[in-house]
Amino acid sequence: MADDEITKLEEGQPGRKSTDTSTSTAFCTSPEVVTLLQKVAAELLGTFFIIFAGCGAVAVNNHYGQVTFPGVCVTWGLIVMAMIYALGHISGAHFNPAVTITFALFRHFPYKHVPLYIVAQVVGSIMASGVLCLLLEIRPADSFVSARSGSPVQALVMEIVVTFLFMFVISGVCTDHRAVGELAGFVIGMTLLLNVFVAGPVSGASMNPARSLGPAIVLNDYEGLWIYIVGPIVGAILGGGAYNLIRFTDKPLSELTKSSSFLKAGSSSRKASAG
């Protein structure tokens, strides 16, 4: 195999088309399919660990009372941040059907991959919920399903608002080349943490249909589930749309800000010293 062909395969690009039409495994072993399977696997694993850690903290706190509400908030923020840094370069680190749908609507993600991503996210959530039930012997009082304390309208509006903020921040740090991309995981994780602090006591702060659907299926508790499917999707679309309305500009970054961030300044100095 030529060097340029190897390079293309390593980068996930298609090589030369095979002239052997009798090989039935050509499609399944093509770089496009292998790369897509890697992305789907990353989404499944990332969602699994997010639900395992986040909902696990909720269940442990409900059972033993030692995690505390601030501890639950921090757990959600830290696990999301960790998974973004661990898997973001593979799948884009959606881990959330609302994020995937919004990215697709605003042409940051191909429509044809949306069903696979959503299935992977939901399956990962179901698997994590099942493992938690096996490990912790969940009682009704220990349930980690998304639950509200206010009325359905209050919970729905809260989910829309906090998911709006969540997706607004994601759009800013992940889809705009002017943003400090190296801090994306930290900023998104901290935004989630803040949202859980605010919305947790009111709506449960789901912001993720997969987070609510997996535990609901495993624990057979579907009360108010529609809130956590409709609310996050509507909020994410509105948040992504709002950022897209204000992001467009022909001005270079130097005209938009007088002082660059410490991270970009450090990057520039490293490039200068390397040169």
Side-chain angles (χ1 to χ4, degrees):
M1 182 180 290
D3 292 340
D4 59 339
E5 287 294 306
I6 296 176
T7 301
K8 287 183 178 181
L9 289 176
E10 290 175 344
E11 296 176 351
Q13 300 176 7
R16 289 194 300 261
K17 293 184 178 180
S18 174
T19 56
D20 184 6
T21 57
S22 63
T23 306
S24 60
T25 60
F27 174 76
C28 294
T29 59
S30 67
E32 296 92 336
V33 173
V34 172
T35 301
L36 179 58
L37 290 177
Q38 291 171 334
K39 292 178 179 180
V40 171
E43 285 294 305
L44 189 151
L45 288 173
T47 308
F48 173 90
F49 286 117
I50 288 174
I51 301 304
F52 179 81
C55 290
V58 173
V60 170
N61 187 55
N62 289 340
H63 187 82
Y64 299 103
Q66 296 180 349
V67 179
T68 73
F69 175 65
V72 171
C73 298
V74 171
T75 300
W76 280 110
L78 288 178
I79 187 59
V80 168
M81 179 174 65
M83 289 299 100
I84 289 173
Y85 283 124
L87 299 171
H89 55 284
I90 298 176
S91 68
H94 296 187
F95 312 135
N96 186 335
V99 173
T100 299
I101 291 170
T102 302
F103 275 156
L105 285 176
F106 294 104
R107 301 182 180 181
H108 298 300
F109 188 73
Y111 283 104
K112 63 181 179 180
H113 294 167
V114 170
L116 289 175
Y117 263 50
I118 292 179
V119 169
Q121 292 155 2
V122 173
V123 170
S125 178
I126 293 173
M127 291 173 58
S129 301
V131 171
L132 286 174
C133 287
L134 290 175
L135 294 177
L136 300 177
E137 298 181 357
I138 303 297
R139 304 170 303 181
D142 306 330
S143 176
F144 49 88
V145 296
S146 298
R148 57 180 174 81
S149 60
S151 67
V153 174
Q154 288 176 318
L156 178 62
V157 173
M158 182 63 80
E159 285 296 314
I160 291 175
V161 172
V162 293
T163 312
F164 179 105
L165 172 59
F166 190 51
M167 193 67 215
F168 186 85
V169 172
I170 291 174
S171 298
V173 298
C174 294
T175 67
D176 197 329
H177 67 277
R178 298 168 297 175
V180 184
E182 294 87 344
L183 292 179
F186 177 79
V187 173
I188 293 171
M190 292 305 98
T191 303
L192 181 69
L193 186 154
L194 292 173
N195 281 345
V196 177
F197 263 117
V198 175
V202 179
S203 68
S206 173
M207 296 172 279
N208 185 343
R211 178 264 178 266
S212 299
L213 190 57
I217 292 174
V218 172
L219 296 175
N220 194 29
D221 185 354
Y222 301 97
E223 182 179 357
L225 181 61
W226 67 273
I227 295 172
Y228 306 103
I229 296 176
V230 175
I233 293 176
V234 171
I237 293 173
L238 293 176
Y243 189 82
N244 276 272
L245 285 176
I246 67 173
R247 68 177 292 176
F248 297 106
T249 177
D250 294 328
K251 295 182 180 180
L253 182 62
S254 59
E255 293 184 16
L256 297 175
T257 178
K258 294 181 180 179
S259 60
S260 60
S261 69
F262 72 94
L263 201 58
K264 289 188 176 180
S267 177
S268 299
S269 62
R270 287 196 299 271
K271 291 181 179 178
S273 61

